[in-house]
């Protein structure tokens, strides 16, 4: 058997670390949900293959033509939120006819969101009112703050769509968010709805199907757009062709793209960093501990 090249050895190590990380992540989930496997399968089947390598201008054209844009978020990965911000910047040069719908925010805090974006509420008071640590699993305001700065500057409306009670199951959360999205659709019928929500939710069979059902006949199925992020299966396929560091966007089908902006073990590590520092603040200024831990595991 021929010896692996240094690159092949590196990819092999990458996959080994990915599998190890995945086991740690799965073991960290204390409460299993009955329908999770099917829910996840709905997502995974859409991000296994890609049709072609794509350019940002193709994504921009598709986004401008769409009425409902679903963007997947890996909450602890800062690049996920930066990708949304880049999409907003891409659109604002051509249209401001859109609203932003965030799972990050509870619907019941909408009055505080509006006041903050209108500069009628200070940042400290806003964070006190929305109380992320209590109402959102991932208290990572610093990842989302640039999005709010952008919305405030360009006077873009932001809606909180997390509506179910804390700890509700995925299907109940989708049904509740769909009701809120239907209300937003009725209030802003002529505006694009950009829905930024956990990546598993954006599989067409999950939240989008609930939204379409709740909105009813007015829902434009043909004008949906799905923007996935960082599928590990697509990353490995690109890596096999030496393209993983050269390709940032692929087209999956007529209505779907996938951004590749973070290697799989890096977005996994963002979750593990959060998990390790859940009771405190992540110290981004001192990466020594994380680097030594990763080097030890590679060795």
């Amino acid at each position: 058997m021929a010896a692996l090249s240094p690159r092949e050895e590196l990819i092999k190590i990458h996959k080994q670390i990915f599998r190890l990380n995945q086991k740690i992540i799965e073991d960290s989930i204390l409460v299993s949900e009955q329908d999770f496997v099917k829910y996840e399968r709905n997502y995974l089947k859409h991000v296994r293959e890609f049709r072609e390598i794509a350019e940002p201008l193709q994504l921009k054209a598709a986004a401008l033509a769409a009425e409902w844009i679903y963007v997947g978020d890996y909450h602890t990965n800062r690049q996920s939120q930066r990708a949304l911000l880049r999409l907003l910047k891409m659109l604002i040069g051509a249209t401001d006819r859109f609203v932003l719908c965030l799972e990050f925010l509870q619907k019941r805090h909408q009055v505080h969101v509006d006041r903050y974006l209108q500069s009628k509420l200070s940042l400290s008071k806003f964070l006190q009112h929305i109380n992320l640590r209590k109402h959102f699993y991932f208290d990572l305001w610093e990842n989302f703050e640039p999005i709010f700065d952008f919305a405030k500057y360009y006077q873009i409306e932001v809606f909180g769509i997390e509506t179910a009670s804390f700890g509700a199951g995925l299907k109940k959360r989708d049904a509740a968010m769909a009701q809120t999205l239907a209300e937003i659709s009725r209030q802003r019928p002529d505006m694009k709805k950009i829905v930024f929500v956990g990546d598993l939710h954006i599989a067409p069979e999950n939240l989008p199907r609930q939204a379409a059902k709740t909105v009813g006949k007015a829902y434009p199925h043909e004008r949906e757009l799905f923007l996935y992020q960082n599928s590990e299966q697509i990353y490995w396929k690109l890596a096999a062709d030496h393209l993983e560091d050269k390709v940032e966007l692929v087209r999956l089908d007529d209505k779907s793209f996938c951004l590749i902006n973070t290697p799989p073990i890096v977005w996994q590590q963002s979750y593990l960093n959060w998990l390790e520092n859940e009771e405190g603040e992540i110290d981004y200024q001192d990466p020594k501990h994380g680097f030594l831990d990763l080097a030890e595991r590679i060795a």
Side-chain angles (χ1 to χ4, degrees), residues 100-111:
L100 189 54
C101 308
L102 301 181
E103 175 197 17
F104 177 72
L105 294 167
Q106 293 268 321
K107 176 189 176 184
R108 60 198 183 90
H109 293 147
Q110 190 62 48
V111 63

Side-chain angles (χ1 to χ4, degrees), residues 15 23 85 96 146 165 169 176 179 190 206 257 262 285:
K15 289 183 177 180
K23 186 176 188 310
L85 187 58
D96 59 359
S165 58
Q179 290 287 347
D190 298 325
N206 295 342
F257 291 83
T262 311
Q285 302 305 315

